[in-house]
Amino acid sequence: MTGQQGRGSVEGLPVWDRCAVMGVVNVTPDSFSDGGRCFDAAAAIEHGLDLVAEGADLVDVGGESTRPGATRVDEDEELRRVLPVVRGLAAEGVVVSVDTMRAAVAARAVAAGAVLVNDVSGGLADPAMVPVVAAAGIPFVVMHWRGFSHGTNGRAVYADVVGEVVAELRSRIDAVVGAGIAPERLVVDPGLGFAKRAEHDLRLMSSMSELRCLGRPVLIAASRKRFLGHLLTEDRNTPPPARERDAATAAVSAIAAYRGAWAVRVHEVRATADAVRVARACEGPAGRT
Ligand code: PMM
């Protein structure tokens, strides 16, 4: 299925007439992809506003790196990183999502103005997360996740990656809906790079229709990820560094948007903002839903 028929909308969030662009603000000293550029709150807020000026529809603020092998930050440090940035961006009218696996961080970020909780563990890392989100009545990203980043490579074992990811996401949807989060507020995400090898990510990217069969809007977060480094390694000895994967990221954004993604999550917004508009224009009238 191409085009955006049934791309869907999320209760509690604005409705966009094309694939939305989620800009990333990582408030971490060790983010693999932005090198900790945004570690200072004021700089992070400014960066978020720049992303909006470049075409981001929403901004995802995170204070904990989830790159392979990363060690966890403690909760106080995560709060210290995230809250002023969420508050500062929300005060400027930005649609803010908080990227966290901790219920307490989600709750405080929502109180500070975040309108979407993006939990890469899909509510599995912290048993308090789903009840907190259900009580707050706000949208929630359910990402496919098989455990914390240490050991994630050992979990990248699939007989049928698309079938297994879809089945595992379906059971997480059932669990979080059973625990009180309204289905209309859910977004699903295949979790590219999380317990997945490059070939798994590519298979998932070519299986948007299966992901969309879950009946919820799909978020694709391919930006600067290892699978892009892997496929750009042809003709080189080593993969290009994360910051040199933005053209490839924009290409993925165009494809994901054309295949009906609800949103794409990216570090470099300008090219992706163009890409989703090109995808929209190429869908033709059938896609205008
Ligand atoms: N990937 C990262 C962080 N947050 N959130 C969602 N929903 N999906 C993802 O795949 C995802 C995410 C990886 O870290 P990065 O911000 O440094 O790219």
Side-chain angles (χ1 to χ4, degrees), residues 75 79 83 100-110 126 128-129 132:
E75 187 171 301
L79 285 165
L83 289 183
T100 184
M101 291 188 275
R102 288 196 171 100
V105 176
R108 299 273 302 272
V110 168
D126 182 344
M129 178 64 92
V132 158

Side-chain angles (χ1 to χ4, degrees), residues 26 32-33 66 99 118 120 143 189 194 219 221 225 265 267:
N26 282 328
F32 78 90
S33 47
T66 49
D99 187 339
N118 174 25
V120 299
M143 199 192 83
D189 180 335
F194 288 81
L219 172 64
K225 282 193 172 161
R265 177 185 180 278
H267 301 87

Side-chain angles (χ1 to χ4, degrees), residues 148-180:
F148 290 102
S149 55
H150 55 82
T152 192
N153 292 337
R155 299 187 197 98
V157 179
Y158 301 89
D160 164 17
V161 64
V162 176
E164 288 168 51
V165 166
V166 167
E168 288 167 35
L169 278 173
R170 184 169 283 124
S171 85
R172 282 313 295 154
I173 292 172
D174 291 347
V176 305
V177 169

Side-chain angles (χ1 to χ4, degrees), residues 67-91:
R67 76 186 152 82
T71 50
R72 300 207 68 188
V73 293
D74 68 36
E75 187 171 301
D76 287 345
E77 175 62 11
E78 192 183 347
L79 285 165
R80 195 190 64 73
R81 292 177 184 181
V82 159
L83 289 183
V85 182
V86 169
R87 196 175 294 116
L89 288 172

Side-chain angles (χ1 to χ4, degrees), residues 16-41:
W16 295 280
D17 75 339
R18 52 165 168 71
C19 177
V21 179
M22 175 187 274
V24 178
V25 173
N26 282 328
V27 199
T28 61
D30 61 346
S31 163
F32 78 90
S33 47
D34 68 16
R37 265 177 6 100
C38 298
F39 198 45
D40 164 66

